[in-house]
Amino acid sequence: MVLRIFATIFLSHLLVSCDSRLSDEGQTNQNKPFYEPWGVDLEARNEAVNPGDDFFGYANGNWIANNQIPSDRSRHGVWLDLRERVEKRLLDIIQDLENSNAQKGSSEQKIADYYRSWMNSERLNELGLTPLYEDIKRIRSISSLEGLASEFGRQYLISGGSPFYAHVSLNPLKPDQYQLHLGLSGLGLPDRDYYLEEDEIFETIRYDYISHIRNLLEVAGADSPEKNADLVFKLEAKIAQIQWPRAQRRDRDRTNNPISLESLKLDFPDFNWDMFLSGIGVDFIEELNLNQPDTITPLIALVRDQPIETWRNYLVFHLIMNNASILSDKIDKLNFDFRKTLTGQQKQLPRWKRGIDRVGARYGLGELLGKIYVERHFPSSSKKQMEDLVENLRKAFRNRIETITWMSEETKQEAYKKLSSFEPKIGYPEKWLDLNAIEIDESDLFGNARRIQAYFEHRDIEKLDKPADKDEWFMTAHNVNAYYMASFNQIVFPAGILESPFFDPFADPAVNYGAIGAVIGHEMGHGFDDQGSKYDSRGVKRDWWRSDDRKNFENQTFQLQKQYDNFEVLSGQYIDGAFTLGENIGDLGGLEIAFEAYQISIRGERDRVLDGLTGKQRFFLAWAQAWRGESREEFLVRQLKSDPHSPSMYRVNGVVRNISAWYDAFDISEADQLYLPEDERVSIW
């Protein structure tokens, strides 16, 4: 997906605009480009910067110089500006619903009352830690390894923490079935490197994290909070030592290890799997998948060797930390104070913005809110135009595969089959999720959150007995993002992203191909990146490559990996080329495919020059401005360690330097810093 940290970043946080034009709703309703006169923000450029030295700085330098990161953000930029526009629309919808006197049990009532319960901080302050008392009491009563195993499983119903994770996902070998995936989890910091690296940056973070553990244990009334905070941290550090490095964790071959439940119990007999699965809510399964199999034995040994008291404190700490946002202002602030250390964000977002995020989340009431959003803000004409663009990109991709010299015709036939089988899903789901079973009470935020969580957890468990649902969306319709689903061979573009400046019906074609066209190409490219290429046209994980073709492909991707390994983002902090490889392949291939599609679209026409810029130049400028943004150093560290996307500057500069058409467009020469000799330029797709 374009912004998979979603997982983590883009799905969780809405980032405010500092460009007033992006906050002007009226602009989007006029029959002219968002950025007049033809779609690129000419004022954002810094023409004093040589494009061949820093194309990102050339395209965005003035904007970055004139727009400081707001104190309540860890970064800002064009993607996040569009999110704020969407966010304001969602607020308008909710406020309308609050005034509508909606019928109890209706979607409108659920949305309005969930938001009301969030905004009632006075009630939360009265309750303090009370909503968690029952959970804390149960955790403190644990006296055996069996009780510990059961509680580890229960954490998914109470937003706690566990050294094991278990989630329901598709079976990569049989994508028409769901499967339980089991692996190592349990860290409170973003990645194992935060525990293991000796750099001063991480020493400071570790010190602050131990203080954070102590503060939350004090809130819970724990004995000797300082001593126990240190023990909890040391426990997590031992888990970090067992965990695989991040690049290995994204390897679909390494993480695909199906095993029967019977064999799991025989191979790892020193942990009570029945109690763990019962805690999750799984009564019976025949088979599951072990994502990191060689970590299970040392992790079980750690569970058995550590005092149960340390595990109890670990569970209480994670329970409070993960639920802090739906507790009192005091507890919420303690959590945010540590967040500053990880992201550099100085102020908490206004409560209403965080409320929109919670209510509109996929595992919130996002399905209900997204349906109303689409009805109000997504025209059918946009869906049709996107369908046409997708088909243009599909044709361009096939053209490029046909001209590849390193791939045999036998493997190309499989690639054509996969490409033709891509299923585009645009705007919104054809079938909306039914959330009637969820009860929402305007005076009970904690209860609302628990009932929503229980609904989705039970729904996932029930999938184990059902065939895969290819109609399901894994993002809300109002999300400013996109994704590729390997097991369904689907490319998905929610309504939220299908707006200017990414998709602008009134912009110059070069701009649309360079922005949303490259996003489409990026998602298509994921079907053929280092991991997506391990799945065939039906979404089955199997090797459809001739061995020599696969070797040629991996030689190409390794060259790209080495390029990114050499990018030093901060002093001593480099991009992990192996970890970011899939996204970098998506960026490079996506932009090349989009350029091919643009060239096809203007074939036979004279190249128009607008404001002194050729079509090629406008195309590449649109790509560079699609990634316009800036991040705080703390956030960049977190991104480098936990996000498979490269920072914005390198999604621009790291890509264009491999594309010969960019050299031609801007007269790049050997004297320029981004210059690569032709034989060092990587062109995979």
Side-chain angles (χ1 to χ4, degrees):
M1 70 180 73
V2 174
L3 302 169
R4 284 184 183 157
I5 94 184
F6 273 166
T8 327
I9 298 168
F10 287 113
L11 285 179
S12 303
H13 310 297
L14 301 173
L15 304 179
V16 73
S17 167
C18 287
D19 185 337
S20 61
R21 288 168 296 185
L22 287 170
S23 300
D24 184 357
E25 182 74 28
Q27 287 267 11
T28 64
N29 296 322
Q30 300 178 18
N31 294 337
K32 54 187 177 182
F34 187 77
Y35 288 118
E36 296 184 47
W38 43 265
V40 159
D41 186 358
L42 297 174
E43 296 176 8
R45 294 178 300 164
N46 182 352
E47 295 184 84
V49 174
N50 175 13
D53 291 337
D54 177 7
F55 191 60
F56 178 85
Y58 163 75
N60 301 303
N62 279 352
W63 185 91
I64 290 172
N66 295 323
N67 290 273
Q68 290 188 340
I69 302 173
S71 59
D72 59 1
R73 301 289 180 176
S74 55
R75 58 176 173 171
H76 66 159
V78 68
W79 281 81
L80 311 172
D81 290 336
L82 177 52
R83 287 175 185 277
E84 184 177 69
R85 192 196 310 165
V86 170
E87 181 183 70
K88 289 179 178 177
R89 292 173 180 169
L90 295 174
L91 177 63
D92 288 342
I93 291 171
I94 290 176
Q95 289 177 334
D96 287 348
L97 298 182
E98 285 184 302
N99 297 323
S100 68
N101 195 26
Q103 182 179 354
K104 184 171 177 57
S106 66
S107 297
E108 293 80 3
Q109 175 264 320
K110 294 178 195 291
I111 293 169
D113 283 353
Y114 194 23
Y115 184 74
R116 284 192 187 101
S117 70
W118 167 267
M119 294 301 292
N120 190 356
S121 55
E122 183 177 340
R123 173 62 176 157
L124 300 181
N125 291 334
E126 289 174 1
L127 293 171
L129 191 63
T130 306
L132 292 181
Y133 279 178
E134 184 178 332
D135 293 322
I136 292 173
K137 180 180 178 181
R138 185 186 62 254
I139 290 170
R140 285 179 171 163
S141 71
I142 296 171
S143 59
S144 66
L145 292 173
E146 289 73 22
L148 205 55
S150 177
E151 192 64 35
F152 287 160
R154 188 179 287 110
Q155 297 308 298
Y156 294 92
L157 295 170
I158 64 174
S159 294
S162 169
F164 297 97
Y165 73 75
H167 69 266
V168 176
S169 187
L170 291 162
N171 184 337
L173 302 179
K174 300 174 183 177
D176 58 339
Q177 299 176 4
Y178 294 102
Q179 184 180 51
L180 189 70
H181 291 249
L182 178 69
L184 179 149
S185 182
L187 303 183
L189 293 175
D191 183 73
R192 68 195 296 269
D193 283 1
Y194 279 74
Y195 298 86
L196 306 179
E197 286 198 10
E198 297 181 358
D199 190 290
E200 184 178 349
I201 296 172
F202 299 106
E203 289 180 359
T204 300
I205 291 172
R206 289 193 287 267
Y207 177 84
D208 289 348
Y209 184 50
I210 293 171
S211 297
H212 182 48
I213 299 171
R214 183 196 65 229
N215 290 338
L216 294 191
L217 289 180
E218 284 180 349
V219 167
D223 295 332
S224 306
E226 188 163 348
K227 181 189 80 171
N228 283 312
D230 190 58
L231 291 173
V232 168
F233 175 79
K234 288 177 178 177
L235 170 59
E236 289 191 18
K238 290 177 181 177
I239 296 174
Q241 290 173 339
I242 299 170
Q243 189 179 63
W244 287 1
R246 54 187 169 270
Q248 292 181 16
R249 298 197 299 270
R250 63 175 292 273
D251 188 320
R252 307 286 177 87
D253 292 328
R254 286 176 177 265
T255 57
N256 183 47
N257 305 282
I259 185 173
S260 69
L261 180 59
E262 182 181 1
S263 295
L264 177 74
K265 293 177 181 179
L266 289 173
D267 292 349
F268 308 102
D270 293 330
F271 185 75
N272 195 318
W273 296 108
D274 288 332
M275 294 293 287
F276 176 74
L277 294 173
S278 177
I280 297 171
V282 175
D283 295 326
F284 175 76
I285 51 172
E286 291 184 356
E287 184 184 87
L288 67 156
N289 184 67
L290 283 183
N291 284 24
Q292 302 174 44
D294 60 3
T295 67
I296 301 301
T297 294
L299 189 56
I300 291 173
L302 188 62
V303 170
R304 299 179 68 87
D305 293 346
Q306 291 292 306
I308 287 181
E309 181 186 5
T310 301
W311 282 113
R312 288 196 296 254
N313 284 314
Y314 165 91
L315 290 167
V316 168
F317 161 67
H318 281 275
L319 176 71
I320 299 174
M321 180 173 69
N322 294 342
N323 285 279
S325 64
I326 53 175
L327 299 172
S328 67
D329 287 341
K330 175 186 175 182
I331 297 171
D332 189 31
K333 183 179 182 302
L334 285 174
N335 216 39
F336 176 73
D337 286 345
F338 177 65
R339 178 180 169 77
K340 293 179 186 177
T341 301
L342 292 179
T343 67
Q345 181 181 338
Q346 296 304 303
K347 290 183 180 178
Q348 185 79 284
L349 278 172
R351 190 163 185 86
W352 74 266
K353 288 179 179 283
R354 297 167 63 208
I356 296 294
D357 194 19
R358 171 168 285 275
V359 176
R362 179 172 179 255
Y363 291 110
L365 300 181
E367 193 86 355
L368 305 182
L369 193 55
K371 186 173 187 293
I372 300 172
Y373 180 88
V374 166
E375 291 168 355
R376 293 194 185 186
H377 297 290
F378 186 63
S380 57
S381 58
S382 292
K383 188 177 179 77
K384 177 62 171 65
Q385 286 176 282
M386 270 296 291
E387 288 170 346
D388 292 342
L389 268 173
V390 168
E391 292 312 311
N392 291 346
L393 268 290
R394 197 195 304 258
K395 292 173 186 174
F397 203 161
R398 179 172 177 117
N399 287 354
R400 291 191 63 82
I401 294 174
E402 288 174 353
T403 61
I404 288 174
T405 58
W406 53 263
M407 180 184 281
S408 69
E409 189 60 33
E410 179 183 340
T411 303
K412 283 184 180 181
Q413 289 302 318
E414 289 284 346
Y416 297 149
K417 190 186 300 182
K418 180 167 186 176
L419 179 62
S420 66
S421 299
F422 273 145
E423 180 190 359
K425 300 171 82 170
I426 296 168
Y428 51 88
E430 296 299 319
K431 181 176 65 178
W432 296 92
L433 190 60
D434 182 357
L435 302 183
N436 283 333
I438 299 174
E439 293 185 11
I440 299 295
D441 181 342
E442 68 173 315
S443 64
D444 185 14
L445 172 63
F446 186 84
N448 292 335
R450 279 286 172 93
R451 285 187 288 274
I452 290 171
Q453 184 166 12
Y455 169 83
F456 282 106
E457 289 295 335
H458 291 146
R459 179 176 178 270
D460 279 350
I461 296 301
E462 289 172 356
K463 288 179 179 179
L464 292 170
D465 297 322
K466 298 177 180 179
D469 180 6
K470 291 192 174 184
D471 292 328
E472 182 175 7
W473 278 49
F474 297 92
M475 283 182 183
T476 56
H478 50 273
N479 207 318
V480 183
N481 214 322
Y483 69 90
Y484 170 71
M485 185 70 173
S487 292
F488 289 164
N489 202 26
Q490 293 173 343
I491 47 176
V492 184
F493 306 95
I497 196 176
L498 302 181
E499 289 202 33
S500 56
F502 299 103
F503 173 63
D504 190 337
F506 307 108
D508 170 56
V511 174
N512 270 328
Y513 276 102
I516 195 65
V519 171
I520 296 169
H522 174 102
E523 298 308 333
M524 287 183 169
H526 274 314
F528 296 89
D529 69 18
D530 63 315
Q531 302 303 319
S533 59
K534 296 173 180 178
Y535 295 74
D536 68 13
S537 61
R538 297 170 298 137
V540 177
K541 185 183 177 301
R542 71 172 181 89
D543 188 0
W544 49 270
W545 295 68
R546 269 183 37 168
S547 59
D548 53 340
D549 293 333
R550 187 73 196 185
K551 184 176 181 181
N552 290 337
F553 172 72
E554 290 175 351
N555 286 339
Q556 294 271 352
T557 61
F558 183 63
Q559 295 307 311
L560 189 65
Q561 176 182 324
K562 288 196 299 182
Q563 286 184 19
Y564 278 81
D565 279 335
N566 288 321
F567 289 136
E568 186 177 21
V569 179
L570 300 169
S571 178
Q573 298 296 321
Y574 291 80
I575 292 176
D576 183 339
F579 180 51
T580 59
L581 183 58
E583 297 299 333
N584 298 334
I585 293 172
D587 283 344
L588 175 57
L591 193 59
E592 289 190 294
I593 295 161
F595 185 75
E596 173 88 9
Y598 170 62
Q599 292 295 100
I600 293 172
S601 75
I602 61 169
R603 193 159 289 166
E605 299 179 12
R606 289 180 57 188
D607 185 14
R608 291 190 303 156
V609 176
L610 302 176
D611 288 310
L613 296 166
T614 66
K616 286 183 181 180
Q617 290 173 325
R618 299 194 300 275
F619 173 89
F620 287 110
L621 273 171
W623 169 255
Q625 291 194 348
W627 296 107
R628 181 174 69 202
E630 188 177 21
S631 302
R632 299 186 190 278
E633 288 192 2
E634 296 91 339
F635 182 88
L636 283 172
V637 171
R638 180 172 181 165
Q639 183 175 5
L640 291 173
K641 297 300 183 183
S642 61
D643 184 351
H645 300 82
S646 298
S648 295
M649 176 188 293
Y650 303 94
R651 298 190 76 165
V652 177
N653 290 348
V655 169
V656 295
R657 69 199 305 246
N658 284 291
I659 300 178
S660 295
W662 173 74
Y663 287 77
D664 297 337
F666 291 93
D667 296 323
I668 308 302
S669 71
E670 294 182 27
D672 297 320
Q673 293 178 26
L674 292 178
Y675 178 85
L676 283 174
E678 283 195 49
D679 61 354
E680 293 182 19
R681 297 173 200 168
V682 176
S683 180
I684 303 169
W685 299 110

